[in-house]
Amino acid sequence: MIIDKAEIIVTSPDRNFVTLRITTDEGHVGIGDGTLNGRELAVVAYLKEHVAPLLLGKDAGRIEDIWQYLYRGAYWRRGPVTMAAIAAVDMALWDIKGKAAGMPVYQLLGGASRSGLMAYGHASGKTMPEIFDSVNEHLELGYKSMRIQSGVPGLNAIYGIASQSADTGDSAVRYDHEPARRGALPAQEDWDTRAYLRHIPTVFEAVRNEFGPELPLLHDGHHRMTPIQAAQLGKSLEPYDLFWLEDCTPAENQEALRLVRQHTTTPLAIGEIFNTVWDYQQIIREQLIDYVRSAVTHTGGISHLKKVLDYAAQYQIKSGMHGPTDVSPVGMAAAMHLGLSIHNFGIQEYMQHGAKTNAVFHQTYTWNDGYLHPGDEPGLGVTLDVDEAGKYPYEQAYLPFNRLADGTVHDW
Ligand code: GCO
Ligand code: MG
């Protein structure tokens, strides 16, 4: 199984995706996701200029060895661009190994630990009636748990609120609300932490009153609070029994979570912008989090995220893999194979891709009554239709940014 081709395919059906396609001399083809939202072409250059030439002639079966060779050989370690590029290689090699073995990847990882993966969706709205509509729509789609993001009175545009009203049937438009500013400069959003901290508990109170105590509810703070503000929010949300509060403080200051933990029993999830096990070392060892949020795509692939999750398992910390629409169907499938096989699965984020994306990436994973399953095709179970991909050339796109009322840039 010698690698004789490594191609990088960029396509933008509903949004930009970067896919690495590896072919072996025996004709096995594997694909991996290297999409880094808003900085896609940095990964493309890394893969094309620095990784693809190194892969040619290598034995595709030596996944761990190739991982270590790319990681250690570069000398410059970690970081989202490097780790997304290595992830794309790792996923493609697992895909090939599965195809060569005639088995779905989850079988190679130890087999299924459960029958399906509970997934949460993104309910959101500017106002309470909009949020209730969105929760009801998600219930109709089968979701058994959901994240709630709300507008804040006095703020015009903030992270996580679907820009389209509930009446459009196009899920790509409904859920693909960030960045979705293709061809334009970054959108500016507003922020006021005190207004947010006053408003969010009232939202969760209303949702609990309307939908009852059973529904698992999540919330994403998107790195916007200081430690003491996060502690305050966690405490004020305790009566509403959250499944988790995500990214309550900026992820790079891990010690901040000690202070948050001292004040609240609301479970904490963090890690969608982490890239390696070393980013998690302290917060796992000190049990400062309850869920690991990394995507397979941004954490060096299946091989490396499995190491993070196995380490987390020693501390009863579970998975909560990142799954917004900027993770391609290939990255989603990789998450499902990993999630199905590990013992410490927690929940999977699942926003659902749009029709154009699904026509480019043919999937065999299934969504059934609130649960995902990767399917039983050999490999990852996703194929890339290269002709279809070619219809959608790359479009520059940026994530938004925040300013406070006085003009100061703030985490968004
Ligand atoms: C989430 C995330 C995403 C990110 C996005 C950035 O919890 O799903 O916060 O919505 O903002 O992936 O590219
Ligand atoms: Mg998040």
Side-chain angles (χ1 to χ4, degrees):
M1 286 208 309
I2 300 302
I3 299 174
D4 64 11
K5 226 192 278 170
E7 302 153 282
I8 294 89
I9 295 139
V10 182
T11 181
S12 192
D14 298 298
R15 60 190 314 151
N16 294 313
F17 295 112
V18 176
T19 310
L20 172 70
R21 189 168 72 156
I22 294 179
T23 311
T24 71
D25 57 350
E26 291 166 17
H28 290 302
V29 177
I31 53 176
D33 179 26
T35 308
L36 188 61
N37 199 6
R39 294 292 185 272
E40 299 87 357
L41 298 187
V43 184
V44 171
Y46 194 104
L47 281 169
K48 254 192 197 152
E49 309 297 334
H50 303 296
V51 172
L54 300 178
L55 294 176
L56 303 181
K58 292 256 174 331
D59 178 352
R62 296 182 62 183
I63 303 177
E64 181 67 17
D65 184 65
I66 291 180
W67 196 100
Q68 299 296 342
Y69 170 74
L70 293 176
Y71 184 80
R72 293 175 200 282
Y75 186 64
W76 309 108
R77 298 175 185 197
R78 304 161 67 167
V81 176
T82 300
M83 298 309 284
I86 296 179
V89 176
D90 185 80
M91 268 181 242
L93 296 180
W94 277 107
D95 194 19
I96 288 175
K97 198 178 270 299
K99 285 173 180 163
M103 285 186 196
V105 168
Y106 77 82
Q107 290 291 5
L108 302 177
L109 298 173
S113 286
R114 56 196 53 78
S115 52
L117 307 170
M118 184 168 80
Y120 74 90
H122 286 199
S124 72
K126 286 200 173 105
T127 59
M128 278 322 305
E130 276 184 31
I131 292 172
F132 284 7
D133 284 351
S134 180
V135 172
N136 278 319
E137 272 176 49
H138 280 80
L139 291 172
E140 277 162 34
L141 287 169
Y143 282 99
K144 303 244 176 302
S145 55
M146 58 197 85
R147 185 183 93 160
I148 308 286
Q149 300 299 125
S150 167
V152 173
L155 300 183
N156 289 324
I158 65 171
Y159 159 80
I161 313 301
S163 53
Q164 300 294 313
S165 72
D167 51 21
T168 152
D170 183 348
S171 61
V173 178
R174 271 304 313 286
Y175 302 119
D176 204 22
H177 50 273
E178 62 172 83
R181 293 274 300 207
R182 294 187 299 183
L185 291 173
Q188 182 175 327
E189 301 186 339
D190 312 320
W191 190 245
D192 175 344
T193 311
R194 291 187 63 236
Y196 166 78
L197 292 177
R198 279 194 307 273
H199 187 63
I200 291 299
T202 69
V203 171
F204 278 89
E205 183 184 20
V207 172
R208 273 284 174 240
N209 287 342
E210 181 73 13
F211 296 96
E214 292 291 333
L215 189 65
L217 298 177
L218 302 82
H219 181 66
D220 191 346
H222 227 244
H223 322 270
R224 290 172 301 202
M225 286 164 274
T226 64
I228 202 68
Q229 289 168 337
Q232 189 187 334
L233 181 65
K235 209 166 162 180
S236 61
L237 291 175
E238 279 171 21
Y240 315 114
D241 186 26
L242 259 62
F243 187 95
W244 78 36
L245 172 61
E246 175 188 346
D247 285 335
C248 59
T249 52
E252 53 278 45
N253 181 9
Q254 304 187 11
E255 286 174 19
L257 294 169
R258 283 197 197 128
L259 190 143
V260 182
R261 275 294 215 215
Q262 280 163 14
H263 292 281
T264 180
T265 56
T266 293
L268 302 179
I270 214 157
E272 70 182 38
I273 65 166
F274 288 178
N275 318 118
T276 66
V277 70
W278 297 284
D279 300 326
Y280 280 104
Q281 221 169 17
Q282 178 184 8
I283 57 176
I284 289 180
R285 194 178 54 231
E286 292 189 29
Q287 303 182 66
L288 299 179
I289 57 167
D290 301 281
Y291 295 92
V292 164
R293 281 288 289 144
S294 287
V296 175
T297 307
H298 304 131
T299 322
I302 293 171
S303 303
H304 194 69
L305 187 52
K306 178 157 167 50
K307 289 176 186 172
V308 177
L309 293 171
D310 287 346
Y311 176 42
Q314 313 311 312
Y315 298 89
Q316 292 172 284
I317 296 170
K318 297 186 177 191
S319 73
M321 283 178 255
H322 194 208
T325 48
D326 47 281
V327 170
S328 89
V330 189
M332 288 304 299
M336 291 176 214
H337 286 279
L338 184 55
L340 199 71
S341 65
I342 54 172
H343 177 249
N344 57 331
F345 171 79
I347 199 166
Q348 174 64 52
E349 182 181 25
Y350 180 51
M351 281 175 80
Q352 308 200 4
H353 289 104
K356 284 191 208 161
T357 300
N358 295 339
V360 171
F361 297 94
H362 303 166
Q363 307 145 21
T364 55
Y365 55 77
T366 52
W367 166 246
N368 221 325
D369 202 23
Y371 287 81
L372 290 161
H373 191 283
D376 281 295
E377 284 296 309
L380 291 174
V382 177
T383 47
L384 175 71
D385 183 328
V386 180
D387 293 337
E388 197 63 23
K391 291 186 190 163
Y392 306 106
Y394 169 79
E395 285 183 53
Q396 188 175 36
Y398 285 104
L399 289 160
F401 73 106
N402 256 347
R403 283 193 193 276
L404 306 179
D406 70 357
T408 307
V409 170
H410 191 73
D411 294 295
W412 62 273

